[in-house]
Every structure is written in structure tokens, then in C-alpha cells.
Amino acid sequence: GSHFWLSPKVLRFSGSYLASARLPRVVQPTLNRLAAQAQGSFSVVVLDEREVVIVARSVALQEPDLQASSLGPPQRAGATSRVLAYGLHLGARLPAHATSTGRVLLAALDRQALAAWMKTHVLYRLTPYTVTDAKAFRAVLAQVRAEDHCLAHEEHELGVHALAVPIRNAQGRTVAALNVVTGAHRLTPAAVAGHWLPLLQDAALEVRSLL
């Protein structure tokens, strides 16, 4: 008499969104291509208050566990697979301040909107590496804004490393963020500059004219 729970009918809401929203439909083929090409876990997210929401993601959740010398796509067949990052499913909500995608989207806010966001949201700690100081966090966002991408190491979850870039529409407004979650040995400075960052930027440019 005093307990209740959600039934599968609640999925009608998310199903209606995914069926009608333009963004997930536009980016899904690109995400699938990226996953097949680079064997990482790719997602597109949008900002919703203090969280980011995954609205599209690549089909594959696993990637080969490669040697530290690998800079880009897998070089060795038959590698052991492992799942990266807990809860990276469609519709998952993650804290914006501690994720690569969240920082990309926050960095795109104008000064007034960012000030309002900072005033009403706590930068709570998730791992020993989470930036929780407001001044330091603003400096991080300034760097993201200047470099037009964000690299986050173990700030949301230990062992999780991610690189994100903004997705802009034809008018130049940031509407979402695209990221890859992979192992630390695949996100070395050389790998980011020479492989992952161009890969993500080209993908974001690919869908820009469709938004």
C-alpha cells in the first residue's frame, strides 16, 4: 500500500524522444563508424542542468586491451576485451563538472550563464582527481574554451579517461558534445594530437551541416 515502482511504460517517453529528436538520428551513423574504425566507446551528450545526458552512443561498449605503445586504432587481433566506464548507456546522466563532455558544454556557455550555473551547483568530489575548487574549475573551463576540446583523466570514475569536442550546428552554436572513452595508454599526448582529436573533430564537422 505504500510502495510503488516504475513500469516499462515509462520507456515510452524516452522512446518518443529518440524517435523524434533530430540529434540522435543524425549522429548515430557517425558514432557507429567511429566505433568500427577506432574501437573505442563513443557518445554524444547534451547538458541538462548539473548533468549531461547521453542521447546517442556507439554500439560497441568494449575495446581491445592494447599495449601502451598503441597510439591509435588497434594493431593486434585477439586482444582481451574489457568494459570501460560504469553506466555509459543510452539515457545515462553523469555529473557535468567531472566529465569531458560536461566541461565542453559548460565552456560554451556565455559568462552570465556560466556564473549562474556555478552559483547554483556544487562541484562535489567523485574521485581523488576531481576538481572541486571553483577558481581552479573556471581555469579548466578557460583552457577547454581556448583549446576547443577537453581531456579528463579519472575525475568521474577511477580508470576512466575521456576526450571530448563540441558539436556545433550550422550557425556555430554548441548543441552537444562528442567524446571517446578509452584506456589511458591510448590517450597519450601524441595519440591525442595525432589520432583521437582529428578523428573527433572531423566527426563533429561531418554532422554540423545536418543539424
Side-chain angles (χ1 to χ4, degrees):
S2 61
H3 296 82
F4 61 92
W5 53 88
L6 296 175
S7 76
K9 289 183 179 180
V10 74
L11 296 177
R12 293 177 182 175
F13 292 102
S14 60
S16 297
Y17 168 78
L18 293 174
S20 61
R22 183 173 179 79
L23 179 62
R25 290 185 287 112
V26 166
V27 301
Q28 192 61 56
T30 299
L31 292 177
N32 293 343
R33 177 182 59 77
L34 289 173
Q37 179 182 349
Q39 293 194 22
S41 179
F42 297 87
S43 301
V44 169
V45 312
V46 295
L47 184 65
D48 184 19
E49 296 295 336
R50 68 182 183 89
E51 298 172 315
V52 290
V53 184
I54 298 177
V55 297
R57 68 177 325 282
S58 57
V59 175
L61 281 171
Q62 297 178 319
E63 69 169 11
D65 190 8
L66 302 181
Q67 295 178 351
S69 60
S70 176
L71 297 183
Q75 304 295 323
R76 178 167 57 90
T80 302
S81 293
R82 59 190 176 86
V83 176
L84 291 174
Y86 174 76
L88 287 187
H89 56 270
L90 194 62
R93 307 179 71 90
L94 306 171
H97 73 285
T99 54
S100 61
T101 48
R103 290 177 174 183
V104 163
L105 294 171
L106 290 173
L109 297 178
D110 60 40
R111 181 176 299 181
Q112 184 177 359
L114 179 59
W117 192 94
M118 293 288 295
K119 185 177 181 179
T120 56
H121 296 87
V122 177
L123 306 177
Y124 56 92
R125 186 175 300 281
L126 294 161
T127 78
Y129 306 104
T130 308
V131 176
T132 58
D133 177 75
K135 184 176 181 180
F137 186 70
R138 286 182 178 274
V140 169
L141 294 185
Q143 181 179 358
V144 171
R145 195 176 300 113
E147 297 180 349
D148 209 30
H149 70 271
C150 179
L151 189 62
H153 292 291
E154 298 188 294
E155 295 200 42
H156 166 245
E157 182 181 336
L158 292 177
V160 174
H161 308 263
L163 174 68
V165 300
I167 293 180
R168 299 185 174 94
N169 60 17
Q171 291 70 46
R173 183 173 67 88
T174 297
V175 296
L178 164 67
N179 84 333
V180 60
V181 176
T182 187
H185 58 280
R186 301 184 77 198
L187 284 179
T188 63
V192 169
H195 174 68
W196 293 109
L197 189 54
L199 187 72
L200 293 181
Q201 290 173 333
D202 287 348
L205 189 61
E206 177 182 305
V207 302
R208 178 171 182 169
S209 61
L210 302 175
L211 297 175

